[in-house]
């Protein structure tokens, strides 16, 4: 096997949590609020169903091919050439999405804090740090995530705690005045973020205890759901109807915090949460691209291609959109179908074909 | 100004090669090929992007394919 490191089930959960939460935390309330209005806190609950679905598909496929990742088993399921094509499409999708995530990170930091710094500097420095982590292997990413995640969670709770005095519970009413359809429409975009959990296809083969993989993946999906419901609920109770008109509602919520004219400017904490979360998210996507490309090209080692792929990643990230508005619009419209195709539709089709092939095995021709 | 950026791209590519090349074993021919092709490709892409930053890219490609569906989500 190309990756020598092994991770535990808990470490996998720790890696997955920021992979979804990092981007969702800041942008989600605006995206869901647009469709779901005051029911936006319900949307992540529906969306998490897709998370469970993605986890189940990845786990069933893992069951048929225990030592292999998506790129490897797609070749075995649909044949060499179509499998290679699918693998390429998937890697292209992950690379492109990672470029968009990196761009999002760069735009956020330059737009809110380091206004004089060129975007390319933010993007290159993040890509470089991630390249070092990815070059170290899965264990290194898992351990750095283990260090960062407690910081992430403590800071998140601090923000939540400081916001409590400013909340207005009346903003929540009327609950479901038009039935649940509105909250389901709001769940559409976040459900594709939950589908990113399909990436466990690239982590499951490297687990110590195989049987615990599913349990931890389900636990982490539940925690992601709880976090996102909390975020949406708090932005809703704070801002009411206008929550969806901000680009980064959580950021503006943190700007709002002012206790006795003493505790102010805590938005720096949001920045810290975002940077640590984004680091892990970009690392996981980057790692998937690197390990997938190495398997796609049948290399014996993935380390030589880490830096070249990082280089491509920076280019793709600069290329992906000309500005933040364009990027956000793309993420909210075409990207959802693009992601749905690669993270839900293709895996389901592969799983069905694998099932059929498993039931009626081809006769060996000797 | 643009030639300076191109110079920067080439310098990064050279540094990458200097760091990585001695670490690849002599027998690992495929790895060497992959490294050369990926590095050359990324340098070319980066240089082209310096001169034509508005060149249509993957986002436009995907947008063209999924636009009819994407319209459903616009409000």
């Amino acid at each position: 096997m190309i990756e020598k490191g092994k991770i535990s089930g808990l470490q996998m959960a720790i890696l997955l949590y920021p992979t979804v939460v990092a981007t969702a935390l800041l942008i989600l309330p605006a995206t869901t609020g647009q469709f779901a209005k005051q029911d936006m806190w319900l949307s992540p609950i529906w969306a998490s169903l897709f998370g469970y679905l993605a986890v189940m598909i990845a786990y069933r496929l893992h069951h048929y091919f225990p030592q292999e990742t998506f790129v490897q088993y797609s070749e075995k399921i649909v044949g060499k050439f179509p499998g290679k094509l699918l693998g390429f499409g998937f890697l292209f999708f992950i690379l492109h999405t990672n470029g968009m995530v990196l761009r999002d990170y760069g735009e956020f930091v330059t737009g809110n804090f380091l206004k004089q710094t060129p975007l390319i500097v933010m993007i290159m420095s993040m890509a470089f740090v991630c390249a070092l982590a990815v070059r170290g292997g899965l264990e290194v990413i898992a351990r750095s995530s283990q260090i960062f995640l407690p910081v992430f969670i403590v800071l998140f709770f601090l923000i939540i705690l400081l916001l409590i005095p400013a909340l207005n519970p009346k903003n929540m009413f009327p609950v479901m005045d038009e039935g649940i359809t509105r909250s389901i429409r709001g769940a559409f975009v976040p459900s594709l973020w939950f589908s990113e959990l399909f990436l466990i296809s690239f982590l499951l083969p490297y687990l110590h205890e195989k049987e615990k993989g599913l349990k931890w993946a389900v636990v982490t999906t539940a925690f992601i759901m709880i976090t996102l419901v909390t975020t949406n609920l708090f932005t809703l109770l704070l801002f009411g109807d206008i929550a969806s008109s901000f680009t980064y509602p959580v950021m503006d919520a943190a700007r709002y915090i002012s206790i006795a004219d003493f505790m102010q400017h805590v938005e720096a904490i949001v920045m810290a949460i975002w940077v640590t979360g984004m680091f892990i998210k970009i690392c996981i996507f980057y790692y998937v691209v690197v390990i997938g490309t190495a398997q796609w090209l049948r290399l014996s080692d993935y380390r030589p291609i880490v830096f070249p792929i990082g280089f491509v990643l920076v280019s793709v990230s600069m290329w992906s959109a000309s500005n933040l508005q364009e990027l956000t619009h793309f993420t909210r419209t075409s990207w959802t179908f693009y992601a749905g195709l690669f993270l839900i539709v293709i895996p389901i089709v592969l799983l069905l074909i694998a099932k059929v092939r498993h039931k009626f095995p081809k006769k060996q021709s000797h | 100004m643009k030639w300076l950026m191109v110079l920067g791209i080439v310098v990064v590519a050279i540094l990458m090669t200097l760091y990585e090349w001695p670490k690849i074993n002599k027998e690992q021919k495929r790895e060497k090929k992959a490294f050369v092709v990926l590095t050359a490709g990324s340098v070319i892409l980066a240089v082209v992007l310096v001169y034509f930053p508005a060149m249509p890219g993957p986002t436009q490609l995907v947008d063209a394919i999924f636009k009819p569906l994407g319209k459903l989500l616009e409000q």
Side-chain angles (χ1 to χ4, degrees):
Chain A
M1 262 206 297
I2 197 163
E3 165 69 57
K4 271 140 203 121
K6 288 263 175 194
I7 57 169
S8 68
L10 177 64
Q11 278 176 320
M12 186 183 80
I14 286 174
L15 281 171
L16 290 174
Y17 178 81
T19 302
V20 177
V21 170
T23 35
L25 192 64
L26 279 189
I27 310 169
L28 181 84
T31 319
T32 40
Q34 210 180 25
F35 296 105
K37 304 279 184 306
Q38 76 272 20
D39 290 338
M40 68 195 231
W41 58 279
L42 280 169
S43 298
I45 300 175
W46 314 131
S48 72
L49 297 177
F50 270 81
Y52 294 120
L53 179 66
V55 165
M56 278 318 291
I57 301 168
Y59 188 76
R60 293 308 298 171
L61 281 167
H62 169 72
H63 182 72
Y64 289 124
F65 305 94
Q67 299 297 324
E68 295 179 358
T69 67
F70 178 84
V71 175
Q72 290 169 308
Y73 55 61
S74 63
E75 267 178 59
K76 288 204 180 148
I77 296 172
V78 289
K80 195 161 172 23
F81 184 71
K84 284 268 186 220
L85 209 64
L86 272 187
F88 179 79
F90 190 80
L91 292 173
F92 177 83
F93 161 71
I94 298 292
L95 180 73
H96 185 193
T97 304
N98 200 9
M100 286 161 53
V101 172
L102 193 56
R103 180 61 177 265
D104 237 347
Y105 160 80
E107 292 277 2
F108 175 76
V109 176
T110 49
N112 285 292
F113 291 93
L114 308 172
K115 290 183 180 150
Q116 306 286 318
T117 317
L119 183 64
I120 184 80
V121 175
M122 297 315 307
I123 289 179
M124 276 180 76
S125 47
M126 188 50 136
F128 181 64
V129 177
C130 291
L132 294 180
V134 171
R135 206 177 181 286
L138 191 56
E139 273 183 36
V140 172
I141 307 174
R143 288 194 186 151
S144 48
S145 180
Q146 252 176 320
I147 294 171
F148 285 142
L149 195 72
V151 180
F152 186 102
I153 290 172
V154 167
L155 293 180
F156 180 72
F157 271 109
L158 188 67
I159 293 283
I160 293 289
L161 216 64
L162 290 174
L163 274 176
I164 286 177
L167 298 182
N168 176 15
K170 278 188 189 143
N171 283 336
M172 218 172 114
F173 300 109
V175 179
M176 295 201 276
D177 62 331
E178 286 179 23
I180 57 168
T181 38
R182 220 154 62 177
S183 58
I184 288 177
R185 282 196 67 189
F188 197 77
V189 178
S191 63
L192 275 312
W193 290 346
F194 271 100
S195 313
E196 284 170 5
L197 290 170
F198 181 72
L199 293 187
I200 61 166
S201 162
F202 288 81
L203 304 179
L204 285 173
Y206 310 121
L207 281 190
H208 272 309
E209 321 113 315
K210 301 270 179 210
E211 60 288 349
K212 286 193 182 155
L214 183 65
K215 188 190 98 186
W216 281 113
V218 168
V219 167
T220 201
T221 315
F223 271 102
I224 293 166
M225 192 259 285
I226 292 167
T227 315
L228 297 185
V229 168
T230 319
T231 328
N232 270 2
L233 196 59
F234 272 67
T235 33
L236 175 69
L237 295 188
L238 187 65
F239 292 123
D241 286 343
I242 55 165
S244 57
S245 54
F246 296 105
T247 318
Y248 306 112
V250 177
M251 190 70 196
D252 292 293
R255 284 219 174 92
Y256 195 83
I257 295 172
S258 163
I259 294 170
D261 286 334
F262 172 70
M263 277 282 280
Q264 281 175 335
H265 285 290
V266 287
E267 69 260 28
I269 294 178
V270 177
M271 164 86 160
I273 296 178
W274 172 259
V275 173
T276 49
M278 280 312 239
F279 166 73
I280 298 160
K281 173 156 193 166
I282 295 167
C283 274
I284 286 293
F285 275 72
Y286 192 170
Y287 176 79
V288 167
V289 176
V290 167
I291 207 107
T293 312
Q295 285 165 345
W296 196 72
L297 296 169
R298 295 184 187 284
L299 304 182
S300 58
D301 190 4
Y302 64 89
R303 279 172 298 180
I305 57 168
V306 170
F307 284 113
I309 285 183
F311 205 142
V312 177
L313 181 63
V314 172
S315 306
V316 168
S317 142
M318 293 307 286
W319 200 12
S320 58
S322 46
N323 52 47
L324 182 62
Q325 281 66 36
E326 203 183 303
L327 187 66
T328 316
H329 183 253
F330 177 69
T331 326
R332 282 182 196 176
T333 55
S334 303
W335 183 85
T336 46
F337 295 98
Y338 179 36
L341 178 67
F342 282 108
L343 296 173
I344 298 286
V345 177
I346 288 179
I348 286 183
V349 172
L350 282 185
L351 180 60
L352 291 180
I353 297 174
K355 257 204 170 118
V356 171
R357 285 215 164 167
H358 195 73
K359 262 199 179 147
F360 311 101
K362 215 170 30 178
K363 276 175 202 136
Q364 295 287 327
S365 49
H366 285 293
Chain B
M1 237 347 247
K2 283 193 170 159
W3 66 269
L4 208 65
M5 287 163 91
V6 173
L7 190 71
I9 290 164
V10 174
V11 168
V12 171
I14 290 173
L15 285 178
M16 233 159 59
T17 316
L18 283 180
Y19 179 76
E20 208 62 74
W21 197 256
K23 288 190 163 59
I24 310 177
N25 282 340
K26 272 196 182 133
E27 301 91 65
Q28 294 178 303
K29 291 242 168 66
R30 288 187 76 91
E31 284 73 10
K32 282 193 170 175
K33 252 189 246 167
F35 180 81
V36 170
V37 170
L38 277 171
T39 312
S42 55
V43 168
I44 292 167
L45 176 63
V47 171
V48 170
L49 279 177
V50 166
Y51 284 97
F52 307 98
M55 184 170 61
T59 307
Q60 281 73 21
L61 175 73
V62 173
D63 218 18
I65 299 171
F66 293 100
K67 194 130 218 173
L69 288 168
K71 282 231 169 78
L72 296 175
L73 286 177
E74 275 178 45
Q75 269 204 333

